[in-house]
Amino acid sequence: MIRAEMAAPVRMRRVAVVAPEKALRESLVRIAEAGSVEIDLAWDGGPDVRGPAAMRLRRLRTEPGQAVLSEAPPDLGALEREGRTDLLAGEKQLEERLGSAVRHGEAATLAGWCPEAEVGATAARIAGVGGALVVLRAPRGVDPPTLLTGADTAPPARPARTVRRSLTPLVSTYGTVPYADLDPTLPAGIVYAVMFGVMFGDAGHGMLLVALALLLRAGRPRRLAALRPLWPFVAGAGLAATLAGAAYGEFFGPTGVLPVLWLAPLEEPMRLLAAAVVLGAVLLAVAYAAGIANRWREGGPASALYATTGIAGAALYLGLAAVAGCVWLGQAAFAAVGAVIAVVGLTLAGVGLYATTAGGPGGAVQTGIQLLDAMVRIGSNVVSFARLAAFGLTHAALGAIVWDGTTALADRGPAGVVAALLMFLAGNALAFSLEALVAGVQALRLEYYELFSRLFEGEGRPFRPWQLPVEHIPCAVAGATPPTAGEAVAKEAARRGPAKEEHP
């Protein structure tokens, strides 16, 4: 069962980092080490930043690698002489945040965002040096940044979130989910695996994918170690392909090892085609349901009612689907009910679309074109799922060709047996590689264009916490009484004028 907090992005809190001026640097160092707070900057951190570390880093004319932050205020001159661009880059980032602070007397404040589950731990982390993390009311009209459950920057959690972490790239590649929307990560992964399995239906090939997933989990081969977090995603796709192959009776082709539990693709292509279209129709209905929920969460009942990806679009879709289904089954009398539902949906969608135009005859024409496009898209999107059957048939045909060639060579004596074995291995390797690529791309295409286009109407802003490794440098390098970066940046901020204060 999916818990409520896993059905939406990680809950964010607007926070303020408050600390005495002398304790601000150490508070920020601890925040950077924790990596759980996104801090608002007064400027973009570009050429406008002229702090001491930034100037020294620019003089070195060397591209810094991974930025590192020094725990104690370092001797910037010594770092420049030693060519420590990593520490200078870390100090530059620190200067940007120190310069963005709003100062009042001896206190300084920085605003930002923090996951709700991390507020307590972060507050305790900086309390030891005199800082405080204060929860603020979120500003009106400003959406918090989005962090999906299981993302790399999400708070550490139970091993079950390993699966969600492997599926996060499936959603983030499409775009950033708006903060108000549902988190589609887990359902999207399940749907992707099902569609992939239908097109890659071979139990033998599916088991090879599962074995590949287990190798990735073990960190083998080492050159693919970076892909280790994706092993649950690969295992899910392999399991779906194995189950589909068992239903088709395919095990490295029509070898007869497995009985046909449902249908043989090459013998009943029309039945497979009808099943693929029905599956697509069901998935589109689910996508419309999620779209209604998202429109409601984004803009309330009116937005959900009139949007083409909300109730209006869902009614139009269901009405047209009912008409097509009744005509297909020969129940034309019941098609009238579907037509009424479609007209209601068309009317609601027309009202919503017309409200976004400039009005008048031009607005009416624009609305008519958009309504026609919506109806055409519904039909084309449903038919598009026929590719599940088409590529499933292609996979089965390749398997049959390889198996027929193998059996033909095996009847030609000992040399034929060797040739048959080579034919079987090479043919299945080619079919596995080609079809895995094709099925993977086509499942992604269906997910993005047919389903996600109904879930999302806009894009959110990703949560980017400030996180740097902290280095404990010797006192000799840090210097006995070096000027702090906070003092230098404070002077620069005073020269520029006070930073604009935010009103949460």
Side-chain angles (χ1 to χ4, degrees):
M1 182 176 179
I2 300 177
R3 299 189 305 277
E5 65 270 20
M6 296 182 69
V10 174
R11 185 175 176 82
M12 288 287 167
R13 285 291 191 179
R14 184 67 169 171
V15 296
V17 180
V18 183
E21 178 66 33
K22 294 183 178 180
L24 184 58
R25 177 199 161 84
E26 193 168 356
S27 298
L28 289 176
V29 168
R30 295 197 175 193
I31 285 176
E33 192 171 23
S36 57
V37 180
E38 178 184 291
I39 297 177
D40 297 344
L41 297 180
W43 57 80
D44 60 5
D48 215 20
V49 179
R50 300 190 185 93
M55 295 175 64
R56 284 175 166 80
L57 188 61
R58 193 155 44 243
R59 282 203 299 263
L60 287 175
R61 297 181 181 180
T62 303
E63 194 67 27
Q66 168 67 46
V68 178
L69 198 57
S70 169
E71 182 184 30
D75 184 337
L76 299 180
L79 294 181
E80 183 180 6
R81 289 190 297 272
E82 295 174 7
R84 292 297 305 271
T85 57
D86 55 346
L87 285 171
L88 286 174
E91 289 299 313
K92 176 179 176 292
Q93 292 188 27
L94 182 63
E95 288 172 355
E96 294 170 2
R97 282 142 185 90
L98 289 170
S100 299
V102 177
R103 290 171 171 81
H104 183 74
E106 295 183 358
T109 304
L110 285 159
W113 298 94
C114 180
E116 185 178 57
E118 293 294 299
V119 170
T122 306
R125 190 179 189 91
I126 66 175
V129 295
L133 194 69
V134 181
V135 177
L136 306 175
R137 185 172 55 189
R140 292 183 180 180
V142 178
D143 288 332
T146 301
L147 175 62
L148 298 181
T149 305
D152 290 339
T153 53
R158 294 166 290 278
R161 288 190 180 171
T162 302
V163 175
R164 297 179 66 89
R165 189 180 300 274
S166 72
L167 300 177
T168 298
L170 182 64
V171 178
S172 59
T173 301
Y174 181 83
T176 302
V177 177
Y179 181 77
D181 286 7
L182 299 173
D183 181 357
T185 303
L186 189 57
I190 295 173
V191 169
Y192 182 92
V194 169
M195 293 191 296
F196 179 89
V198 172
M199 292 184 283
F200 197 70
D202 187 293
H205 292 172
M207 292 171 66
L208 287 179
L209 271 181
V210 174
L212 176 60
L214 295 178
L215 285 175
L216 288 177
R217 185 176 185 270
R220 306 291 183 188
R222 292 184 178 180
R223 289 180 295 179
L224 300 180
L227 300 178
R228 186 176 184 273
L230 299 179
W231 77 265
F233 179 75
V234 178
L239 180 60
T242 302
L243 295 176
Y248 298 158
E250 296 277 331
F251 185 82
F252 295 109
T255 55
V257 174
L258 296 177
V260 177
L261 299 180
W262 179 41
L263 60 81
L266 296 179
E267 295 178 5
E268 299 181 85
M270 294 307 298
R271 187 180 172 191
L272 181 61
L273 178 64
V277 173
V278 170
L279 174 61
V282 172
L283 292 178
L284 285 174
V286 174
Y288 271 114
I292 293 172
N294 284 344
R295 302 298 85 75
W296 192 294
R297 292 164 66 95
E298 291 168 358
S303 177
L305 180 62
Y306 295 108
T308 55
T309 56
I311 295 174
L316 177 61
Y317 167 73
L318 291 177
L320 294 176
V323 171
C326 291
V327 172
W328 178 269
L329 297 174
Q331 302 293 328
F334 294 99
V337 178
V340 171
I341 297 174
V343 169
V344 171
L346 199 64
T347 303
L348 291 173
V351 172
L353 291 172
Y354 185 77
T356 63
T357 68
V365 172
Q366 179 180 337
T367 300
I369 294 175
Q370 289 176 315
L371 288 176
L372 178 62
D373 176 70
M375 290 189 291
V376 172
R377 283 186 61 221
I378 287 175
S380 63
N381 290 159
V382 174
V383 174
S384 185
F385 281 92
R387 70 186 65 219
L388 295 176
F391 289 105
L393 287 169
T394 302
H395 195 179
L398 286 175
I401 291 172
V402 173
W403 181 243
D404 289 344
T406 300
T407 54
L409 290 173
D411 295 334
R412 299 184 180 181
V417 172
V418 175
L421 180 60
L422 294 176
M423 171 74 175
F424 183 78
L425 294 176
N428 273 281
L430 177 62
F432 177 88
S433 303
L434 180 62
E435 286 300 305
L437 176 62
V438 171
V441 171
Q442 291 300 324
L444 196 65
R445 189 256 179 222
L446 289 170
E447 188 109 64
Y448 285 173
Y449 289 97
E450 270 63 48
L451 302 179
F452 278 14
S453 62
R454 286 164 171 78
L455 264 65
F456 309 122
E457 284 194 341
E459 190 171 353
R461 179 175 67 84
F463 175 65
R464 293 191 174 96
W466 185 44
Q467 183 172 23
L468 291 178
V470 176
E471 180 175 302
H472 303 272
I473 64 175
C475 294
V477 178
T481 56
T484 66
E487 293 172 350
V489 175
K491 292 179 181 179
E492 177 64 19
R495 184 184 68 80
R496 293 167 173 269
K500 185 178 292 184
E501 184 173 358
E502 294 190 12
H503 298 280

